Amino acid sequence: MTSIETRLDSARLALKCGLGLAAFLAGLDKFFNLLANWEGYVSPLAKAVLPVGPTTFMYVAGIIEMAVGLAILTRWTALASYVAMVWLVLIAANLVTTGMYFDVAVRDVEMAIGAYALARLTEVKEAAVPAGAQPRWKATAA
């Protein structure tokens, strides 16, 4: 790998680990409420249209977040990062409709931007190494 590829890949790996673990752990915490009272983040507008109560909704959200987090950490990084990006923007929109939690909404939009960056960096990395081919650094090391 060239120096620029190494530096870009270290940024990609940092985003991959950070976003993957954050999604998984936030999803897991939907069942324990150690980090936050997650039901409190559901806006009255969302509560009015949900077919289930806020607790059940958060359990479902937790399962989805854990799945997305695991997918980011494994071979489905690009696709899962796009899913996380959309999910985070929807969470931010929900938070804005509460009339509170604007700081958390801004954080989630920033995380969505990070998820987009991870998806794009992953696509570039995957395009640089054709499927089944050895990475250039392995081919030159022999």
Side-chain angles (χ1 to χ4, degrees):
M1 270 190 186
T2 66
S3 176
I4 193 165
E5 288 170 327
T6 301
R7 290 182 290 173
L8 286 173
D9 201 46
S10 68
R12 184 189 65 79
L13 288 172
L15 285 168
K16 179 175 180 157
C17 291
L19 291 168
L21 287 172
F24 182 82
L25 294 173
L28 183 63
D29 194 56
K30 300 296 190 288
F31 297 91
F32 302 103
N33 287 323
L34 298 175
L35 298 174
N37 175 15
W38 297 103
E39 292 84 7
Y41 289 121
V42 181
S43 77
L45 178 63
K47 287 178 187 175
V49 298
L50 287 173
V52 296
T55 301
T56 302
F57 175 73
M58 282 300 162
Y59 291 159
V60 172
I63 291 167
I64 293 168
E65 288 172 350
M66 287 188 293
V68 169
L70 287 174
I72 287 173
L73 292 169
T74 59
R75 58 182 268 186
W76 298 284
T77 303
L79 175 62
S81 296
Y82 284 122
V83 172
M85 176 191 71
V86 171
W87 186 263
L88 287 160
V89 169
L90 292 173
I91 291 170
N94 169 72
L95 292 171
V96 167
T97 64
T98 67
M100 305 180 295
Y101 309 118
F102 297 118
D103 56 332
V104 181
V106 169
R107 181 208 59 199
D108 285 352
V109 169
E110 293 299 321
M111 287 176 62
I113 294 167
Y116 174 76
L118 174 58
R120 297 296 292 150
L121 286 169
T122 301
E123 289 170 343
V124 168
K125 180 180 174 67
E126 290 172 353
V129 180
Q134 282 189 337
R136 281 183 274 154
W137 62 271
K138 281 189 178 179
T140 59

